[in-house]
DNA sequence: TTATAGATTGCCT
DNA sequence: GGCAATCTATAAT
């Protein structure tokens, strides 16, 4: 029996200095467009461990957070995908070239971030469900409108698709259609050399159609994975 | 033109 | 564990 701390994570984790802030970020660089041109299920697995970057925030800082949970959404053959009903004004980014941000507004309150996959003309995307904060956590807390009172509050920043967008200031007006393959973009995705291991696959969360398809991927045991139980298995 | 479901979150018991 | 909040794209009159 392992002794656990807040949120049911091993006490060992909460004893760690937070945040985990790797020097490897100094060598971070974006992946090229071909990285995103394949099947969303393949791209999703490759994205685990990569880093989401927001440049030039209000205070001039840089927000970074590691991708720890994603879901794949296919094209018109996937009933749960926004592309299921064909191309519309809303989902047109999914049908465009790969490596671009598709952002939608849901439940009247929240934005969600996807990256487009498959070659231009074919729909597909990966939903970002949870991140592990690396730098800029105070700004994230400010954007989320919460106070950080110790390690137990860390997952409140970026654990959940709506939360991570709020933490990064991601909106449809600002970021929909942005190129995520260029470090010149305000928002982009980079590789800092981190290599994911122990990738866990589960059914997608929060959907009713095709709910049994195992297209959710996460870093096993990572405390920043979303969901009430916070961890899968 | 009106109705409704939705890739969520936070607060309540 | 249950449920309201709150907006919009899309389906149904």
């Amino acid at each position: 029996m392992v002794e656990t701390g807040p949120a049911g994570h091993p006490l060992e984790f909460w004893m760690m200095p937070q945040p985990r802030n790797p020097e490897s970020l100094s060598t971070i660089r974006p992946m090229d467009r071909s990285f995103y041109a394949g099947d969303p299920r393949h791209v999703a697995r490759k994205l685990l461990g990569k880093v989401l970057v927001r440049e030039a925030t209000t205070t001039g800082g840089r927000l970074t957070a590691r991708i720890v949970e994603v879901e794949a959404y296919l094209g018109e053959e996937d009933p749960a995908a926004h592309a299921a009903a064909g191309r519309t004004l809303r989902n047109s980014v999914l049908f465009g070239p790969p490596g671009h941000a598709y952002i939608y507004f849901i439940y009247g309150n929240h934005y969600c971030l996807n990256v487009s996959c498959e070659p231009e003309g074919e729909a597909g995307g990966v939903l970002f469900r949870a991140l592990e904060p690396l730098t800029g956590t105070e700004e994230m807390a400010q954007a989320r409108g919460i106070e950080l009172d110790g390690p137990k509050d860390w997952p409140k920043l970026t654990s959940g698709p709506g939360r991570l967008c709020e933490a990064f200031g991601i909106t449809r007006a600002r970021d929909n259609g942005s190129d995520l393959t260029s470090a010149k973009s305000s928002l982009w995705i980079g590789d800092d050399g981190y290599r994911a291991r122990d990738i866990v696959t589960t059914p997608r969360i929060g959907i009713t159609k095709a709910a049994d398809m195992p297209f959710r991927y996460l870093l096993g045991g990572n405390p920043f994975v979303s969901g009430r139980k916070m961890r899968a298995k």
Side-chain angles (χ1 to χ4, degrees):
Chain A
M1 180 71 181
V2 177
E3 192 177 0
T4 58
H9 305 315
L11 205 54
E12 181 186 353
F13 170 81
W14 296 111
M15 298 300 286
M16 293 173 53
Q18 300 282 340
R20 291 183 267 188
N21 193 348
E23 296 179 3
S24 56
L25 283 178
S26 62
T27 63
I28 191 171
R29 63 179 186 82
M31 297 81 76
D32 60 38
R33 199 165 311 286
S34 64
F35 178 96
Y36 302 95
D39 185 303
R41 287 165 292 193
H42 186 214
V43 178
R45 296 178 70 93
K46 290 194 297 180
L47 277 171
L48 288 175
K50 299 297 187 290
V51 178
L52 183 67
V53 182
R54 166 71 87 187
E55 303 282 5
T57 60
T58 50
T59 60
R62 177 193 248 189
L63 308 183
T64 58
R66 196 171 305 287
I67 300 166
V68 301
E69 179 188 351
V70 292
E71 282 177 359
Y73 286 86
L74 312 185
E76 307 189 37
E77 74 277 24
D78 181 359
H82 284 185
R87 185 173 189 151
T88 65
L89 182 62
R90 178 205 199 193
N91 66 22
S92 62
V93 174
L94 290 175
F95 291 81
H100 288 259
Y102 165 56
I103 294 153
Y104 63 88
F105 193 57
I106 191 71
Y107 293 120
N109 288 299
H110 311 287
Y111 291 98
C112 290
L113 168 68
N114 297 244
V115 59
S116 61
C117 300
E118 304 281 11
E120 182 162 12
E122 193 174 343
V126 173
L127 169 72
F128 289 56
R129 285 199 57 91
L131 311 172
E132 174 174 337
L134 297 173
T135 66
T137 52
E138 282 308 316
E139 285 186 71
M140 293 182 200
Q142 193 170 19
R144 291 271 295 112
I146 61 176
E147 299 265 331
L148 293 179
D149 180 29
K152 66 176 171 53
D153 291 333
W154 276 72
K156 294 179 183 174
L157 292 176
T158 53
S159 293
R163 287 171 168 179
L164 70 90
C165 281
E166 189 171 35
F168 272 67
I170 294 170
T171 65
R172 188 170 200 267
R174 182 180 182 187
D175 301 299
N176 192 51
S178 293
D179 185 1
L180 300 177
T181 70
S182 170
K184 293 176 182 173
S185 296
S186 169
L187 190 68
W188 58 282
I189 301 167
D191 183 350
D192 68 343
Y194 181 93
R195 290 295 170 262
R197 48 201 167 94
D198 187 21
I199 296 178
V200 175
T201 304
T202 83
R204 294 177 291 191
I205 287 183
I207 58 174
T208 54
K209 302 167 188 166
D212 54 334
M213 303 300 284
F215 295 165
R216 173 173 176 247
Y217 310 94
L218 54 93
L219 296 182
N222 188 287
F224 294 89
V225 166
S226 74
R228 277 213 153 88
K229 278 182 285 197
M230 300 299 288
R231 288 188 299 178
K233 294 185 179 179

